[in-house]
Amino acid sequence: MDSADVRDDLDHVLYTEAQIMARLREIGAQIDADYAGRELLLVGVLNGAVMVMSDLARAMRSHMQMDWMAVSSYGAATKSSGVVRILKDLSCDIRGRDVLIVEDIVDTGLTLNYLLDNLRGREPASVEIMAMFRKPDALRVDVPVKYLGFDIPPEFVVGYGLDYAQRYRNLRDVATLAPHVYN
Ligand code: 5GP
């Protein structure tokens, strides 16, 4: 879905597909260099990270493996509840592995803070975070994001995996919604 397909629903586009892909190529090269000779396990956080996982994995030139977790998130509301619940756990044992959590967006940081603690308890060799977007003004806990796509203002955004009421995940760009969509 292109921004033009839902033009009336959008307020403004923050990042286009081309800008996102260009940034992911840089991050992919950085990850290749940082983990040279080690086979990284990318842990995607469902559902929002599906697009970034798929594009980041293909931007990398080294072998990697993939696993997924699902945690409770916003539902149809636009404010973080701060409640994190594991809906789907990893399929593999991460003990002794190099793990990179792949997340769509860091808002308050509560979700990633919880995930980081949880995964560290499983004794991986290392665990780091890659996030496509971060809202620095909304952070409530300090989360160490090693690889960051872009910092954005504290607005609710959709597209590139991010939904509103389960829609707009397939929008190629990342944009804010027009107020009439919430009403
Ligand atoms: P946090 O725990 O950092 O407050 O929120 C993390 C999760 O909230 C993200 O993984 C995402 O699912 C959701 N979220 C945070 N900000 C936004 C946003 O602007 N748009 C959408 N669609 N989801 C968001």
Side-chain angles (χ1 to χ4, degrees), residues 57-85:
R58 286 178 294 179
M60 290 172 58
R61 305 190 68 177
S62 30
H63 286 296
M64 46 71 61
Q65 296 177 26
M66 247 183 222
D67 204 345
W68 300 91
M69 284 183 84
V71 294
S72 60
S73 66
Y74 280 18
T78 57
K79 283 244 164 65
S80 178
S81 64
V83 176
V84 179
R85 198 157 55 92

Side-chain angles (χ1 to χ4, degrees), residues 130-146:
M130 182 277 162
M132 194 64 227
F133 299 99
R134 178 176 62 187
K135 301 180 192 172
D137 297 338
L139 280 177
R140 282 165 55 188
V141 284
D142 190 28
V143 180
V145 177
K146 184 167 185 189

Side-chain angles (χ1 to χ4, degrees), residues 32 35 38-42 57 60-65:
D32 283 336
Y35 291 90
R38 289 140 80 194
E39 195 158 318
L40 191 56
L41 177 71
L42 300 185
M60 290 172 58
R61 305 190 68 177
S62 30
H63 286 296
M64 46 71 61
Q65 296 177 26

